Amino acid sequence: NREEGRKDMKVLSLFDGIACAKVALDRAGMNVETYYASEVDEKAIAIAQKNWPDIIELGDVRHVKRNMPSAPMLRDIAHTLGDIDLLIGGSPCQDLSRANTGGKGLDGKRSGLFYEYLRVLRELKPRYFVLENVASMKKVYRDEITKELGVEPIMIDAALVSAQSRRRLFWTNIPGITQ
């Protein structure tokens, strides 16, 4: 619910999928003025757009920057990202997960997209950020992400809110976040 003096947030969700972050923000009662999404999977984009036609789709994370050139995802108009209040993302985990014994970690094609999240974070300088990834990654990768983001991760298990146990790490600069 809207509190007096509380401004509406501008959110950028990288690796957005079907806009689950939008669901979480809505359920938390956050006032989201603008929700930008970066996603490449056409089926995921279609689901997000069907449920929230006001989402501004930016396309591939590798092209996200403060001044976006004209792009089909932006309906052929140039767009400038304003000040972002919250950057959310969960870069792909395939190369980090212990389930993939041949994974290349942060050097992998998919999980290496973490560095795109980091680039966007540094360029846009949002007030707050959240990065989520698999808890089963090797310590060396966890330490690298922690070093780059400058905050320790918090482990949260999805079993707190669902019937599935799925341990995830969250790095954030939002004060007071705990499991």
Side-chain angles (χ1 to χ4, degrees), residues 13-167:
S13 176
L14 305 179
F15 320 103
D16 189 57
I18 61 171
C20 290
K22 178 84 167 97
V23 174
L25 292 167
D26 287 350
R27 288 184 181 173
M30 303 303 292
N31 297 317
V32 177
E33 171 189 331
T34 308
Y35 187 93
Y36 299 101
S38 171
E39 179 56 57
V40 294
D41 184 278
E42 291 180 19
K43 290 179 182 176
I45 292 168
I47 291 168
Q49 286 290 296
K50 183 176 192 300
N51 291 318
W52 297 279
D54 60 330
I55 290 176
I56 301 170
E57 295 284 350
L58 302 177
D60 191 323
V61 67
R62 294 172 291 189
H63 304 296
V64 172
K65 51 184 76 94
R66 182 166 297 281
N67 294 308
M68 300 284 296
S70 295
M73 297 303 293
L74 295 174
R75 297 169 187 89
D76 294 321
I77 59 169
H79 195 83
T80 299
L81 295 176
D83 292 333
I84 300 296
D85 298 297
L86 176 61
L87 175 66
I88 300 172
S91 55
C93 69
Q94 290 93 332
D95 293 305
L96 295 172
S97 175
R98 290 183 191 256
N100 181 1
T101 56
K104 296 181 180 180
L106 292 172
D107 292 327
K109 183 178 180 180
R110 293 179 179 176
S111 296
L113 289 171
F114 158 73
Y115 293 108
E116 289 297 323
Y117 177 96
L118 189 60
R119 178 191 58 78
V120 171
L121 176 67
R122 289 176 175 164
E123 181 179 339
L124 298 182
K125 297 176 177 59
R127 183 172 181 191
Y128 298 110
F129 68 85
V130 176
L131 176 79
E132 171 273 332
N133 216 303
V134 63
S136 67
M137 71 177 67
K138 292 179 181 177
K139 184 178 182 323
V140 66
Y141 305 136
R142 176 184 169 163
D143 290 348
E144 174 69 11
I145 294 170
T146 299
K147 181 183 129 210
E148 293 291 352
L149 295 177
V151 295
E152 288 291 328
I154 302 158
M155 197 284 292
I156 300 177
D157 192 329
L160 292 172
V161 293
S162 73
Q164 179 181 16
S165 178
R166 191 170 181 183
R167 295 176 347 127

